[in-house]
Amino acid sequence: MRKLFAKIHLWLSIPLGILISIICLTGAILVFEQEITQALNPNLYRVEAASGSTPLSPSQLAEAISRQVPDTLQLTSLQFAQDPDKPVWAGFRNAGRKTLSVNPYTGEVNGWSQSYPFFQEVRKLHRWLLDAPARKGEKSVGKVVVGVTTLLMVVILLSGLVIWIPRTSKALKNRLKISCTKGWRRFWYDSHVATGIYTLVFLLIMALTGLTWSFGWYRTAAYSLFGATPQTTESEHGSTGKPQNMASASQRSHQNPGRQTDTDHRTSPHRKDTGKSENHPKGQQRLYRTWDQVLANLQQTYPVYTSIKLEQGSAQIVTSPEGSLRKSDTARFQNEDGVITGITTSGQAPASQKMKGYFYSYHTGTWGGIWTKILYCLAAFLGGILPLSGYYLWYKKKKGSPSRRNIR
């Protein structure tokens, strides 16, 4: 049985090793995309609150924003953070998924959310091997190859576990440490064996959760396992839908509220201040005044929150700390007077919606904050090195290196 698993492990790893390395290494790069982007653009993601300063109300911010953006942009949402050093993020109907950073104390526009072409290309490589589907939700050769490779990677990992199981306590000790004094071949052998077992659980979690974005049948089975039914989207019928390994819009908003997607928006966020206040229809101005009342009521209802996002007729309140499993409530209100008509808590959300957030969090490592992200990044990096060390050991064996007894 052990020899059978050894053959399965070898003959799957040889053709798929390079693809596994690409998927794992690009995944390791993407783990800290948000932190890197924010570090490179501190003016967008942090504001300085002067002593004693008070944040502007939603209607005041809407008025200030209207004087600084083109008339073609219609404000549709404002996202407020409880952290006084964070900006307000404004969403617009004609700006795609990009959002605008705004100083909550002055109403000054800081700029559009940022996303770097480097990370966009790495993401395409990670999801589709650069062969992106023609439309979201559709298949492509690259997407199928990534999905099949990830599925077989699970088989490789499990077969590697069977091969790794030691027969004696002495062998167990040897397979948990890396020797650096017995030559390169012994070093790479120990690295392959030890790091493989240390990263096994993380790599399995990443692979098994990532498959939910690769295959519809797998997503249905995974959701059913936890008593949920995935929502049917147009992408199931070949139309628009969710790209692989992407979270829902609300999930992306929580993980990175100012993140720019691949949608290119070239409109400048600034224009000459005309001093006019007629940039919004009266109905919109009334809605923004309603937001004042809604925000005040929600801040009283939720003394502690991460963010409150106001939209037409509803508000999303993120109650979980940043860097943890997402928990958010949804409040519905009347646009005319701001009376809150109902609140749906995170516990009352549909099971499919919760499962989507769980799978995303466990795939990316965001569920435990910065420490799990560090562990995921390290595990993904080592997962990308494992096939390379495996190739080296296979090459040495084929070349006729010294007997394997020397590395036992």
Side-chain angles (χ1 to χ4, degrees):
M1 184 65 67
R2 191 185 187 93
K3 291 183 179 180
L4 173 62
F5 280 101
K7 290 182 178 180
I8 293 174
H9 187 82
L10 175 64
W11 294 113
L12 287 179
S13 298
I14 289 176
L16 300 177
I18 292 297
L19 295 177
I20 292 174
S21 290
I22 291 174
I23 294 171
C24 288
L25 293 176
T26 52
I29 294 173
L30 292 173
V31 169
F32 288 106
E33 176 188 3
Q34 175 183 342
E35 286 77 8
I36 294 173
T37 301
Q38 292 185 8
L40 294 175
N41 300 275
N43 61 307
L44 296 180
Y45 298 91
R46 307 296 293 182
V47 296
E48 293 185 3
S51 178
S53 57
T54 303
L56 299 178
S57 66
S59 60
Q60 290 173 325
L61 284 171
E63 179 65 22
I65 293 171
S66 70
R67 296 195 298 266
Q68 301 174 73
V69 300
D71 295 332
T72 55
L73 295 178
Q74 181 178 341
L75 181 68
T76 57
S77 68
L78 287 175
Q79 180 172 315
F80 297 81
Q82 190 171 42
D83 186 341
D85 295 326
K86 289 194 172 182
V88 170
W89 290 98
F92 299 87
R93 178 165 296 164
N94 306 85
R97 292 175 178 169
K98 292 181 64 177
T99 50
L100 194 63
S101 173
V102 182
N103 189 309
Y105 304 100
T106 64
E108 180 183 0
V109 167
N110 300 320
W112 292 105
S113 53
Q114 293 295 315
S115 181
Y116 292 97
F118 169 76
F119 287 115
Q120 294 176 12
E121 293 303 311
V122 170
R123 190 175 299 108
K124 291 177 183 177
L125 185 60
H126 179 70
R127 296 173 186 159
W128 312 301
L129 297 178
L130 299 180
D131 181 29
R135 290 185 298 175
K136 293 179 181 179
E138 293 186 347
K139 292 183 178 180
S140 70
V141 174
K143 180 177 181 178
V144 173
V145 169
V146 168
V148 172
T149 300
T150 305
L151 185 61
L152 293 178
M153 176 182 168
V154 174
V155 179
I156 293 173
L157 291 171
L158 294 178
S159 62
L161 174 62
V162 174
I163 301 169
W164 176 88
I165 296 175
R167 296 173 180 173
T168 65
S169 58
K170 182 179 179 180
L172 173 62
K173 182 179 179 180
N174 290 334
R175 294 186 184 188
L176 291 175
K177 66 180 183 179
I178 300 175
S179 175
C180 300
T181 60
K182 298 180 180 180
W184 279 108
R185 187 167 183 239
R186 178 57 184 264
F187 171 78
W188 285 114
Y189 176 83
D190 288 347
S191 298
H192 190 81
V193 173
T195 59
I197 201 64
Y198 289 141
T199 60
L200 176 67
V201 173
F202 294 103
L203 293 176
L204 279 176
I205 291 174
M206 285 184 270
L208 292 173
T209 53
L211 284 170
T212 59
W213 288 282
S214 296
F215 303 111
W217 61 266
Y218 181 91
R219 181 169 57 252
T220 300
Y223 277 53
S224 300
L225 185 63
F226 296 95
T229 302
Q231 297 176 348
T232 301
T233 63
E234 292 182 357
S235 62
E236 301 293 339
H237 306 285
S239 185
T240 58
K242 187 183 300 297
Q244 181 184 10
N245 293 349
M246 289 288 284
S248 64
S250 60
Q251 180 74 10
R252 288 192 301 270
S253 176
H254 173 53
Q255 299 297 340
N256 194 351
R259 176 175 171 180
Q260 173 187 351
T261 64
D262 296 344
T263 305
D264 185 17
H265 182 75
R266 304 184 184 278
T267 306
S268 171
H270 300 281
R271 68 179 176 88
K272 185 176 180 180
D273 188 346
T274 61
K276 296 180 180 180
S277 60
E278 298 83 8
N279 294 305
H280 298 289
K282 291 183 178 180
Q284 288 298 114
Q285 293 178 352
R286 183 168 58 251
L287 173 63
Y288 302 146
R289 288 193 295 270
T290 298
W291 283 356
D292 296 346
Q293 182 65 33
V294 173
L295 181 62
N297 290 340
L298 290 177
Q299 287 174 334
Q300 289 182 350
T301 305
Y302 295 88
V304 178
Y305 62 90
T306 297
S307 66
I308 295 177
K309 184 177 182 180
L310 301 172
E311 298 176 296
Q312 184 171 355
S314 67
Q316 186 179 67
I317 308 96
V318 176
T319 58
S320 56
E322 287 192 65
S324 63
L325 281 175
R326 177 181 174 82
K327 292 182 179 180
S328 63
D329 298 351
T330 301
R332 297 173 299 281
F333 59 86
Q334 297 177 2
N335 290 323
E336 295 77 14
D337 53 17
V339 174
I340 296 178
T341 58
I343 295 180
T344 302
T345 64
S346 57
Q348 297 171 325
S352 59
Q353 180 179 333
K354 290 188 287 187
M355 290 308 304
K356 184 185 299 183
Y358 290 155
F359 279 124
Y360 177 83
S361 297
Y362 279 102
H363 182 70
T364 58
T366 58
W367 56 272
I370 187 65
W371 294 110
T372 52
K373 295 186 75 170
I374 292 174
L375 289 174
Y376 268 58
C377 182
L378 182 60
F381 174 77
L382 294 175
I385 300 299
L386 282 173
L388 305 181
S389 60
Y391 280 133
Y392 172 81
L393 295 171
W394 177 68
Y395 170 76
K396 282 295 185 179
K397 182 180 178 181
K398 296 290 290 185
K399 191 177 179 181
S401 294
S403 173
R404 293 176 61 187
R405 290 176 297 180
N406 296 332
I407 59 174
R408 292 291 182 182

